Amino acid sequence: MTLRLRVSPFSLKHTLECGQFFRLTKVLETYIVQASNRIFSLRQKGDYLFYEGVDDRFLIHFFRLDEDLAAIHKEIDRDPVIHQAILEYPGLRLVRQDPWECLISFLCSSAKAIPHIRSIIEHLCRSTGKELHLGNYIGYGFPEPRCIDLNLRWESIKAGFRANYLIETSRSVDREKLRDLKDLPYEEARELLMRLPGVGRKVADCVLLYSLDFLEAFPIDTWIKKGLQKSYLNGRQMGEKKLEEFARAHFGPLAGYAQLYLYHYWRHHPL
């Protein structure tokens, strides 16, 4: 049975397609989404979200629909560049993912385009996850920690050098301890994540921002680095650490939201 939820301001398209989340398939105007061992469908028409397979409580949590987006815009709208990004994508929201799924997803993301990242994750889930059903659509749950091992046919998954990171992280991560990171200060939580195999500054910040509510986290990738240097620093070269410090000082405690808008904007308006 299809249910509906009033959502405003919210853009399902931009929120799902901006690069923060990978487990989705678009069929005409409907998205089939897999997250937290659920499979559900979503379609937006105006201010209403039509959905099957989950309840409104899950969607409000997942899409952070209880946050005051207007207040967030006001907080981060500090210069003409971010102002233009907000004007263009006013319904863009952060997604609140499961920390374990988010960690493994971004471990798969190093130096890869989004379609390839989705392919790696989908193959991984097909190989180790349980079947999920939504009508005639068959999906696969996300593998649990310690379920990613050497017995997988890694050549078909095409994870390359990431395979060892995925295996080692799967062996060493505890779901509850991962969730408990949200109770720590930002720097401490990031330091602990960066002790995991293959987790650098960017992957750690993605996990902190997209799953653990550290809204000050500001992941730096090539799009963001180039954009900051050209649009904010007059072309001046700067290391990742200095760029992070600049961004958090400039945008304040909700810098992660600014990163989301700038990343999506610069990907569609290359400098």
Side-chain angles (χ1 to χ4, degrees):
M1 179 174 142
T2 302
L3 302 172
R4 74 175 188 173
L5 176 67
R6 187 175 178 84
V7 287
S8 182
F10 179 63
S11 169
L12 180 64
K13 173 181 171 61
H14 293 303
T15 297
L16 287 180
E17 296 184 13
C18 70
Q20 63 176 320
F21 179 74
F22 305 109
R23 299 206 68 203
L24 61 108
T25 302
K26 192 174 184 182
V27 182
L28 299 177
E29 296 304 310
T30 298
Y31 293 87
I32 307 297
V33 177
Q34 297 176 71
S36 299
N37 282 323
R38 294 170 170 87
I39 182 169
F40 50 100
S41 68
L42 299 164
R43 177 173 57 88
Q44 185 171 7
K45 188 172 182 180
D47 289 344
Y48 285 95
L49 194 60
F50 296 85
Y51 61 96
E52 290 185 53
V54 286
D55 57 27
D56 59 353
R57 214 167 110 191
F58 175 84
L59 292 177
I60 290 167
H61 177 82
F62 186 67
F63 288 120
R64 309 180 78 107
L65 296 170
D66 53 348
E67 292 183 339
D68 184 344
L69 199 55
I72 291 169
H73 290 164
K74 186 176 180 181
E75 171 65 26
I76 64 174
D77 191 358
R78 301 187 176 191
D79 61 71
V81 179
I82 189 68
H83 182 74
Q84 186 59 41
I86 292 169
L87 285 180
E88 189 145 345
Y89 307 111
L92 179 59
R93 287 180 181 264
L94 279 169
V95 169
R96 184 185 281 119
Q97 303 177 46
D98 174 82
W100 163 248
E101 292 183 20
C102 190
L103 170 62
I104 293 300
S105 295
F106 279 95
L107 270 178
C108 294
S109 72
S110 178
K112 289 292 180 185
I114 288 174
H116 194 178
I117 299 166
R118 287 178 180 162
S119 176
I120 294 172
I121 297 168
E122 183 62 22
H123 277 86
L124 184 64
C125 293
R126 281 176 178 266
S127 300
T128 59
K130 65 179 182 180
E131 276 195 11
L132 302 172
H133 296 264
L134 181 71
N136 294 325
Y137 193 93
I138 300 174
Y140 297 87
F142 208 87
E144 291 296 315
R146 287 171 288 283
C147 290
I148 302 174
D149 57 39
L150 291 167
N151 295 324
L152 291 178
R153 292 164 58 186
W154 288 102
E155 67 276 8
S156 67
I157 293 175
K158 299 180 181 177
F161 68 87
R162 300 160 195 78
N164 285 335
Y165 296 155
L166 297 172
I167 293 166
E168 292 173 31
T169 297
S170 176
R171 289 172 175 169
S172 59
V173 166
D174 177 276
R175 268 186 176 277
E176 291 305 315
K177 288 183 179 177
L178 198 54
R179 288 195 189 99
D180 288 345
L181 292 177
K182 70 189 306 178
D183 298 324
L184 299 176
Y186 164 71
E187 294 290 352
E188 186 178 345
R190 183 163 75 161
E191 173 60 32
L192 289 172
L193 278 173
M194 288 173 62
R195 293 179 189 175
L196 294 171
V199 177
R201 302 175 76 90
K202 179 226 169 184
V203 170
D205 275 335
C206 286
V207 176
L208 294 171
L209 177 60
Y210 303 141
S211 71
L212 290 166
D213 295 340
F214 286 91
L215 299 184
E216 67 268 49
F218 194 94
I220 303 280
D221 75 338
T222 53
W223 288 101
I224 290 293
K225 184 175 183 178
K226 181 180 177 182
L228 289 178
Q229 289 177 166
K230 282 199 164 189
S231 298
Y232 289 89
L233 301 168
N234 296 317
R236 184 157 48 101
Q237 302 291 308
M238 222 181 243
E240 282 186 15
K241 187 175 180 181
K242 290 292 185 184
L243 286 173
E244 290 167 9
E245 290 171 355
F246 164 79
R248 288 201 295 271
H250 181 69
F251 292 111
L254 300 182
Y257 249 109
Q259 192 272 0
L260 185 74
Y261 279 83
L262 291 173
Y263 178 79
H264 196 48
Y265 183 77
W266 284 329
R267 279 181 63 226
H268 288 86
H269 301 82
L271 296 168

